[in-house]
Amino acid sequence: MNTKRAFSFVAKLLPLVAMFLFMVTGCGASGKNLSIIKNGVTNYCIVIPENPEDYIQDSAISLQKKIYKETKVSMKILSDTAVTNLKKIYIGNTSSDLSQKVMSEVSYGSYAVGTSGEEMYAVAYTQADIKKAVNIIRDKMLEALKKDSIKIEAFEEVKDVRDELADVPVYVTEKATTVFCAGSEFYEIRIEEADTKDFATYTATLKENGYTEHSAKKIGNAEYAVYKNDKMALYVNQFDSAMRIVYSDIKTAFLPETEQSAFEKVCDTKGYMVGVTGGTYENGLCFIYLLADGTFLIYDGGNDAPDADHLYELLHRIAGQHGINEVVISNWMLTHAHNDHCGCWEPFFSKYADKVKIERVMFNTSHSDLGTAVGDSLEESAMNSVKNYSADTELVRLHSGQDFWLADMKVEVLYTVEDLEPGSLEDYNDASTITRLTINNETILMTGDSSFGVWGLMCKTYGEALKSDYLQVPHHGAHDGGTKEAYNLIQPTYLLWPCGDKLYADNLTAWNKDYGTNLHLLKMVKPENSYVAGVYDATNKTERITEFPFSK
């Protein structure tokens, strides 16, 4: 296993030495030619893992079909548990000694393909890279095709395709491992069927390789840790039978202090739910928190230019009520980039970025590797609003498991879109970042538009640890939001509905196919503890601002 590298000149030589030994000891390419097909007959089969990822199986089938098309020879595809006397072409991380040996020498940013004795292999951690490796085998065969026979020369190729991942210590395991893009400049390594033992083993490996622990915690059924060196930060977690390793360049990694820092108290922390211009459906979300140090935390903001103007006016009004002269938005949280949540961003930043101080924007991003409901263009538009008009604002990507303090408010990041299986993002609402705020021992669960798919994962991950005093009702209380199971675990005392009165009323009728879940939720709290945001009428300048009970 080649994990001790990248920390000294000698360590950097280890992969080269190992690969040299790999070649000269007969585990890599040898001088023997391989007779794959002779006179229209093959004694080879294609071998894949017993429970392969879809892309592994698809690559094997693609190779099989290409061979048949060109030679009319059908090559069997077998599981690595099958017993056979056929010679083997291994694709992916099979349980064979050869696959395991090669995988131990390949970084998360590389692929390897070649021959060893009379066997062949193609290994990689990503869908794109395994296809490249298998295509090399395909091309070698086609180049060597003569009439009804294929005889290829021994070969070996190892190619680094993602330099960022070349130095990430590899966790060598037979468990299915995939690498995918989880957003701009962020890669995620996901190991299936992982447990606490895998988590402990890998974090110990990081320490052995010179990484230092920045933070670690366990909550519910989840384990989290952040490790760093002078080049990168690795966000490692284990829950829902998977271990995830998220890579970040150290220059862009968010590594907040986990302990509360001293601050000068200016006021009591207060929370406000703001009615926004609702349009046809009366949906939208804007929450303002006045922090104890006199700065503001904002969640989303609302739909459009009138919401931007209203937000600006509100910030100054609230600041003035507390004797605060300068409006400082120390943190602006984007749950996700749907227009009813951040449609006000471009008008606000373009009009007011030079009139207020905006120190930091916090967010997470999706990517097509995560699924078909990617919101990258929406996210790019939101981030461009910041970059174009407020260049000094820090852009921070959040990761599940992070804890940090804003004056006397503790923020826990409970979920980001990185937690999903690659390819499973079918509803962009599930890209909503979920956080929990703690103020004076009271907790507020901020859920954005997260839907029932995410709440299934949240229930398995946290269980009773989801208990919170305040619940921002997911997806405005509309269909495909929270679940009864989740609400039973959260056990809220107060409900905050980010919607207008009409949408709220509709959500309690059959108009909303999930209205029974809302009725179930309402039975859990006293009627006077359920608050509806209402809407902002820009024409008549009528508004509804709900100040949270904890701040009264």
Side-chain angles (χ1 to χ4, degrees):
M1 177 172 168
N2 193 17
T3 57
K4 295 185 178 179
R5 54 187 173 185
F7 301 103
S8 69
F9 178 73
V10 174
K12 282 181 175 290
L13 291 178
L14 284 178
L16 299 176
V17 174
M19 189 56 70
F20 175 75
L21 293 173
F22 184 68
M23 293 173 65
V24 301
T25 57
C27 295
S30 66
K32 187 172 182 178
N33 292 338
L34 282 68
S35 180
I36 308 298
I37 297 174
K38 185 176 182 179
N39 300 325
V41 178
T42 184
N43 61 348
Y44 274 83
C45 64
I46 300 169
V47 176
I48 59 178
E50 182 178 10
N51 298 302
E53 298 293 321
D54 288 344
Y55 67 86
I56 297 289
Q57 186 165 326
D58 291 345
S59 295
I61 293 172
S62 175
L63 179 61
Q64 179 193 51
K65 288 182 175 179
K66 189 64 175 178
I67 292 172
Y68 181 79
K69 179 180 179 181
E70 300 298 332
T71 67
K72 296 299 183 287
V73 173
S74 181
M75 189 175 290
K76 293 181 179 179
I77 298 176
L78 302 177
S79 162
D80 57 6
T81 59
V83 177
T84 179
N85 292 322
L86 294 171
K87 297 172 185 177
K88 301 171 181 68
I89 301 172
Y90 296 106
I91 296 179
N93 189 18
T94 74
S95 60
S96 70
D97 290 343
L98 177 57
S99 293
Q100 292 298 298
K101 175 64 177 176
V102 178
M103 288 294 283
S104 72
E105 303 298 336
V106 175
S107 79
Y108 287 125
S110 305
Y111 66 80
V113 56
T115 60
S116 178
E118 292 186 303
E119 296 179 323
M120 301 178 69
Y121 58 86
V123 300
Y125 287 102
T126 73
Q127 178 174 345
D129 295 342
I130 198 70
K131 287 183 177 179
K132 291 175 184 176
V134 172
N135 285 345
I136 290 173
I137 291 179
R138 177 201 65 193
D139 294 342
K140 292 283 185 181
M141 288 187 180
L142 296 182
E143 290 171 6
L145 175 60
K146 294 182 178 179
K147 294 185 179 180
D148 56 357
S149 297
I150 296 177
K151 187 174 185 179
I152 67 173
E153 296 181 356
F155 73 98
E156 180 179 62
E157 288 189 31
V158 179
K159 186 170 180 61
D160 292 324
V161 289
R162 289 170 181 80
D163 292 338
E164 305 96 320
L165 300 178
D167 295 327
V168 176
V170 171
Y171 186 57
V172 178
T173 176
E174 294 181 16
K175 297 177 179 180
T177 302
T178 55
V179 180
F180 57 96
C181 186
S184 177
E185 300 178 0
F186 287 82
Y187 288 97
E188 181 171 341
I189 301 148
R190 182 182 171 102
I191 300 162
E192 304 296 341
E193 304 302 323
D195 55 24
T196 56
K197 183 178 179 180
D198 295 294
F199 181 85
T201 301
Y202 188 69
T203 53
T205 297
L206 293 177
K207 293 177 183 177
E208 292 171 3
N209 279 273
Y211 286 75
T212 58
E213 182 184 278
H214 173 75
S215 60
K217 74 170 186 177
K218 183 172 182 178
I219 175 173
N221 300 312
E223 296 177 283
Y224 297 97
V226 182
Y227 284 82
K228 63 179 182 177
N229 62 17
D230 59 350
K231 293 177 60 178
M232 70 183 76
L234 297 176
Y235 302 85
V236 187
N237 63 56
Q238 185 279 131
F239 55 85
D240 192 34
S241 300
M243 183 166 71
R244 304 160 187 80
I245 307 160
V246 179
Y247 159 90
S248 172
D249 188 298
I250 194 65
K251 296 176 183 177
T252 57
F254 181 47
L255 299 169
E257 295 296 328
T258 57
E259 299 297 325
Q260 185 177 11
S261 300
F263 67 94
E264 182 180 349
K265 184 172 181 179
V266 174
C267 58
D268 290 331
T269 299
K270 296 182 180 293
Y272 306 86
M273 178 170 63
V274 180
V276 300
T277 56
T280 302
Y281 298 106
E282 293 191 344
N283 56 324
L285 187 147
C286 179
F287 282 76
I288 299 173
Y289 293 92
L290 174 61
L291 303 174
D293 62 1
T295 68
F296 289 95
L297 163 66
I298 300 174
Y299 272 76
D300 294 346
N303 281 285
D304 48 25
D307 282 331
D309 295 336
H310 188 221
L311 177 58
Y312 177 76
E313 189 274 327
L314 270 178
L315 293 172
H316 278 277
R317 189 196 312 170
I318 295 169
Q321 291 169 351
H322 295 84
I324 299 168
N325 296 322
E326 182 185 12
V327 171
V328 177
I329 303 169
S330 56
N331 293 271
W332 198 326
M333 179 79 72
L334 175 65
T335 63
H336 67 303
H338 271 154
N339 191 72
D340 60 315
H341 290 253
C342 65
C344 72
W345 275 39
E346 200 283 333
F348 186 95
F349 279 86
S350 64
K351 193 172 182 179
Y352 300 117
D354 61 343
K355 296 179 175 63
V356 299
K357 186 176 182 180
I358 307 169
E359 294 181 336
R360 183 163 63 195
V361 166
M362 299 181 288
F363 64 100
N364 200 284
T365 57
S366 59
H367 187 273
S368 57
D369 283 359
L370 290 164
T372 57
V374 65
D376 50 358
S377 61
L378 298 171
E379 293 154 358
E380 183 180 7
S381 177
M383 291 305 109
N384 283 341
S385 299
V386 183
K387 296 174 184 177
N388 293 340
Y389 303 107
S390 189
D392 293 334
T393 298
E394 180 186 12
L395 295 174
V396 164
R397 181 178 172 122
L398 298 177
H399 305 276
S400 296
Q402 289 184 306
D403 294 345
F404 55 95
W405 288 82
L406 305 176
D408 65 344
M409 175 191 285
K410 182 181 179 181
V411 181
E412 301 171 83
V413 184
L414 297 183
Y415 166 84
T416 72
V417 70
E418 298 166 352
D419 299 340
L420 295 179
E421 290 185 47
S424 67
L425 181 62
E426 298 177 350
D427 181 347
Y428 181 62
N429 285 332
D430 285 343
S432 296
T433 296
I434 299 176
T435 54
R436 181 164 56 191
L437 314 178
T438 301
I439 307 160
N440 298 329
N441 296 316
E442 292 191 288
T443 50
I444 306 173
L445 193 59
M446 301 294 296
T447 67
D449 278 356
S450 50
S451 80
F452 59 85
V454 164
W455 287 107
L457 175 62
M458 292 282 286
C459 291
K460 288 189 290 184
T461 302
Y462 296 110
E464 294 180 355
L466 281 174
K467 175 69 182 76
S468 301
D469 299 309
Y470 297 81
L471 171 66
Q472 176 250 299
V473 180
H475 197 208
H476 319 281
H479 60 84
D480 299 336
T483 64
K484 292 181 181 180
E485 180 188 12
Y487 295 156
N488 290 341
L489 290 169
I490 297 168
Q491 285 290 313
T493 303
Y494 301 95
L495 300 178
L496 305 169
W497 300 80
C499 61
D501 293 327
K502 182 181 183 301
L503 178 57
Y504 173 76
D506 287 343
N507 281 334
L508 302 181
T509 70
W511 176 86
N512 179 344
K513 65 182 179 66
D514 299 318
Y515 76 101
T517 303
N518 288 334
L519 295 177
H520 174 82
L521 180 60
L522 282 170
K523 290 178 181 178
M524 300 175 68
V525 304
K526 297 177 181 179
E528 63 268 26
N529 290 343
S530 182
Y531 299 89
V532 178
V535 296
Y536 171 61
D537 186 334
T539 302
N540 297 312
K541 303 297 182 184
T542 56
E543 64 180 16
R544 185 185 302 173
I545 312 298
T546 304
E547 185 177 328
F548 297 177
F550 74 80
S551 60
K552 289 184 177 179

